[in-house]
Amino acid sequence: MTDADERAAVAERAARAGARVADERFRSDIAVETKGEVDVVTEADRAAQRTVIEAIRESFPDDAIVGEEEDERKTVPDEGAAWVIDPIDGTNNYVRDIRVWATAVAAVVDGEPVAAAVVAPALGDVYTADAEGAYRNGEPIAVSDVSDERRATVAPTLWWEFDARDEYAAACEAVVRRFGDMRRLGSAQITLSTAAAGGLEGVVSNLRANPWDSVAGVFIVRQAGGRATDLNADRWRHDSTGLVVSNGDLHDEVLATALAVEEST
């Protein structure tokens, strides 16, 4: 097994382990804390993150860990090996008993993802990506081949704070004026994975994404044949401003949507 193969196996194993912990507590009487006006966290988030880290440490004890909860580092190093984890992406869905949430794990080397897993146990879906491609429940997936804007569905993603509601409104307006339909799923990692599997033609935000909300899903999209850039149409990185993801055929249109949101500020 190559190092890349091992990292892909560990990413999936760790994500599955964390997802099991979160799923055991799903739709239970769990206490909810707030980290901001709408950002919430539960003990399930913390327990799942600890489980993910334990699974990674069994094989890669010295790698850096980038995680949403507790005292893990919050930025991706540009050199060396690291793991980017989100124990429950979509916690607002989770605490509302909505099934759209996932545990996400990405393996990164020198700032670039090399493997990823997004496990959505309440939906029964496991998305993975390695050096060879992208998969859902073990079967290869590919982005949509839709090239007609009127047949396309695009999702605005990430969260616009209350002082940026004009941007949120602009994002929704820009999507519905350009494309056939819009979805907002409430979990960036599931949204990106859905695009990788052809369920969406685009995913768009003018914001800088947290790495735990984005790195795994972007890698899955790319390995499924999709494209991800920043607002300048440059290749998206973990520290980019703007997240513009598409099936490739409609990238210019999705990018124009993101720029329209940015121009509204």
Side-chain angles (χ1 to χ4, degrees), residues 190-234:
I190 289 181
T191 302
L192 291 164
S193 298
T194 300
L200 296 166
E201 281 66 50
V203 181
V204 63
S205 179
N206 65 313
L207 305 175
R208 175 173 290 187
N210 293 317
W212 48 83
D213 290 329
S214 53
V215 172
V218 167
F219 184 67
I220 293 170
V221 166
R222 284 177 172 153
Q223 294 306 93
R227 185 179 176 192
T229 72
D230 62 13
L231 294 179
N232 295 318
D234 295 326

Side-chain angles (χ1 to χ4, degrees), residues 97-179:
D97 295 344
I98 298 170
R99 296 177 183 271
V100 185
W101 57 271
T103 300
V105 178
V108 176
V109 177
D110 295 336
E112 286 292 326
V114 297
V118 174
V119 178
L123 297 175
D125 285 329
V126 176
Y127 296 90
T128 57
D130 57 22
E132 302 301 322
Y135 317 88
R136 180 174 59 196
N137 302 330
E139 297 295 325
I141 55 175
V143 294
S144 160
D145 61 1
V146 170
S147 58
D148 182 350
E149 293 170 81
R150 294 169 297 179
R151 294 179 52 227
T153 298
V154 172
T157 195
L158 306 179
W159 181 253
W160 287 268
E161 298 290 348
F162 279 102
D163 60 357
R165 281 304 145 117
D166 287 348
E167 293 176 58
Y168 191 174
C172 295
E173 180 179 6
V175 168
V176 299
R177 287 189 180 279
R178 282 181 172 82
F179 301 103

Side-chain angles (χ1 to χ4, degrees), residues 218-264:
V218 167
F219 184 67
I220 293 170
V221 166
R222 284 177 172 153
Q223 294 306 93
R227 185 179 176 192
T229 72
D230 62 13
L231 294 179
N232 295 318
D234 295 326
R235 189 174 187 275
W236 186 88
R237 283 174 36 95
H238 57 80
D239 55 359
S240 292
T241 297
L243 177 58
V244 182
V245 168
S246 78
N247 64 353
D249 292 331
L250 289 169
H251 199 81
D252 288 347
E253 291 80 0
V254 181
L255 177 59
T257 301
L259 294 174
V261 179
E262 187 68 5
E263 290 166 2
S264 73

Side-chain angles (χ1 to χ4, degrees), residues 72-110:
E72 302 304 327
R73 66 177 294 155
K74 305 303 177 188
T75 58
V76 178
D78 284 328
E79 296 183 355
W83 298 81
V84 184
I85 63 178
D86 193 339
I88 302 178
D89 184 64
T91 304
N92 273 296
N93 284 343
Y94 183 89
V95 302
R96 292 174 179 270
D97 295 344
I98 298 170
R99 296 177 183 271
V100 185
W101 57 271
T103 300
V105 178
V108 176
V109 177
D110 295 336

